[in-house]
Amino acid sequence: MYTTRFAPTPSGPLHFGSLSTLLGAWLRARSQGGRILLRIEDLDTPRCPGGMARRVLSDIDAFGFDFDGEPLFQSSRIPFYASKIRKLEKDGLAFSCTCTRQSLKHSPCRCFERMSPLPPGTPCSIRFKPREEISGIFKDELLGAVDTGDTYGYLTLRRSDGIISYNLACVADDIATGVTEVVRGQDLMYVTPRQEALARALGHEGFSYLHLPLALESPGLKLSKQNHAKAVTDAMAPQQALLLALAFLGQDSSWARPSMECRDILIGAASRFDPSRLPHRSAAAPAGVF
Ligand code: GLU
């Protein structure tokens, strides 16, 4: 059965860009009688202020979205991710890495060539070395063949501060929860070929992908929590935001009224959802949302 997910990092409240991605994923699933799961990617605790996950959940609720099953909190699944790292180590696909961001600017990582184990207590991350070369190309359901130009294969699995990486947790959870299609923003396209390689290494045949356009604050700058994008629920009524997000996704919203219940807007939009109208390119966010 078609299954996708919405997977926010609770580093800030839901902004218009995340709302558009959520709406796109929800419509894609519900318009074909499929499932949509909610996953809170709260592993990067230094980036996620206390209480923000609750805020994001209540923001999502304000728009009337429903999900299949309870939200999954990644922070409660650390032993599961650790077991996946051990499996990759056992298969010879993970290695300890002492490179820093700074050192990687000057020379590529060769840590996988190290013959003897690091002395205990040496600060290091654990990285993934795929079996095969990565082409950097993947197939997107919206954009066709995408060439990311990104063939550097050593995804981080566990950071040197001990935090499980987004990439490992994301791929392991997409597999474990039966996701069939990953719908998310185009800001994550660059990592897709490496995530595909990681999924294969974890024994999965792969997902389909649909990367939605981003809402931009100014040319080349996406709305984001780092840029302190405004909470969409603080900016306007939820119905108004849903209508703007529908228009942003190229969908017909002429039938909908701001006086309608959010739920009725969502159901009406799902019955009219036309993926061929989704724009390919990121575009300016509408006035008033940031
Ligand atoms: N957690 C990521 C974000 O909030 C999304 C990850 C994904 O969809 O793969 O941007």
Side-chain angles (χ1 to χ4, degrees), residues 5-11 15 18 21 39-42 47 74 166-167 170-171 174 182-185 187-188 191 195 211 222 225:
R5 80 309 192 266
F6 179 60
T9 300
S11 52
H15 55 72
S18 347
T21 302
R39 179 166 86 220
I40 302 296
E41 298 204 326
D42 55 353
R47 270 184 65 212
Q74 288 190 324
Y166 151 67
N167 287 298
C170 169
V171 173
D174 283 341
V182 172
V183 180
R184 60 185 174 194
D187 52 332
L188 286 162
V191 89
Q195 288 191 352
H211 287 90
K222 68 164 184 150
K225 296 146 198 162

Side-chain angles (χ1 to χ4, degrees), residues 241-259:
L242 279 179
L243 298 192
L244 288 175
L246 275 176
F248 186 78
L249 294 174
Q251 304 301 302
D252 175 23
S253 59
S254 58
W255 53 273
R257 298 283 168 270
S259 55

Side-chain angles (χ1 to χ4, degrees), residues 1-287:
M1 183 184 222
Y2 179 95
T3 303
T4 190
R5 80 309 192 266
F6 179 60
T9 300
S11 52
L14 201 74
H15 55 72
F16 181 79
S18 347
L19 172 66
S20 303
T21 302
L22 164 57
L23 180 62
W26 191 91
L27 292 174
R28 175 88 167 153
R30 295 301 190 223
S31 62
Q32 51 188 303
R35 302 195 312 147
I36 176 160
L37 314 174
L38 178 58
R39 179 166 86 220
I40 302 296
E41 298 204 326
D42 55 353
L43 288 171
D44 191 352
T45 40
R47 270 184 65 212
C48 300
M52 194 52 82
R54 291 280 144 218
R55 165 80 202 258
V56 170
L57 290 174
S58 94
D59 286 355
I60 291 173
D61 214 38
F63 293 99
F65 290 104
D66 65 323
F67 295 90
D68 294 278
E70 290 303 306
L72 182 144
F73 288 81
Q74 288 190 324
S75 55
S76 68
R77 292 165 61 77
I78 291 172
F80 167 71
Y81 307 128
S83 75
K84 295 297 164 191
I85 295 179
R86 279 196 301 277
K87 178 186 167 359
L88 291 166
E89 284 177 327
K90 205 163 120 263
D91 294 346
L93 300 175
F95 64 94
S96 301
C97 169
T98 53
C99 295
T100 59
R101 254 181 222 186
Q102 210 46 35
S103 74
L104 287 170
K105 280 188 196 149
H106 304 295
S107 51
C109 173
R110 313 285 314 167
C111 291
F112 54 87
E113 289 171 353
R114 190 185 299 111
M115 300 306 278
S116 48
L118 288 171
T122 311
C124 65
S125 57
I126 301 182
R127 286 176 183 265
F128 166 58
K129 181 162 188 329
R131 259 191 210 101
E132 70 276 11
E133 291 280 306
I134 293 186
S135 72
I137 299 174
F138 73 95
K139 177 175 175 269
D140 188 89
E141 297 302 315
L142 177 63
L143 306 167
V146 175
D147 188 350
T148 62
D150 182 11
T151 56
Y152 178 73
Y154 315 130
L155 277 186
T156 302
L157 302 171
R158 200 191 70 202
R159 298 174 1 186
S160 58
D161 59 6
I163 291 180
I164 302 288
S165 81
Y166 151 67
N167 287 298
L168 186 265
C170 169
V171 173
D173 280 341
D174 283 341
I175 297 173
T177 57
V179 165
T180 58
E181 182 171 85
V182 172
V183 180
R184 60 185 174 194
Q186 290 179 3
D187 52 332
L188 286 162
M189 276 193 313
Y190 75 100
V191 89
T192 300
R194 291 185 282 157
Q195 288 191 352
E196 283 190 308
L198 181 55
R200 280 194 295 277
L202 291 172
H204 191 260
E205 77 278 8
F207 314 99
S208 65
Y209 290 91
L210 192 153
H211 287 90
L212 292 166
L214 304 176
L216 304 177
E217 186 176 318
S218 56
L221 183 68
K222 68 164 184 150
L223 282 189
S224 74
K225 296 146 198 162
Q226 286 93 318
N227 305 335
H228 308 292
K230 212 181 322 197
V232 64
T233 47
D234 292 343
M236 60 187 65
Q239 291 91 335
Q240 186 65 36
L242 279 179
L243 298 192
L244 288 175
L246 275 176
F248 186 78
L249 294 174
Q251 304 301 302
D252 175 23
S253 59
S254 58
W255 53 273
R257 298 283 168 270
S259 55
M260 289 167 73
E261 295 288 331
C262 283
R263 193 71 204 149
D264 294 333
I265 298 178
L266 289 180
I267 291 167
S271 68
R272 294 168 173 89
F273 180 61
D274 180 355
S276 73
R277 295 180 63 147
L278 288 170
H280 288 202
R281 298 180 68 118
S282 297

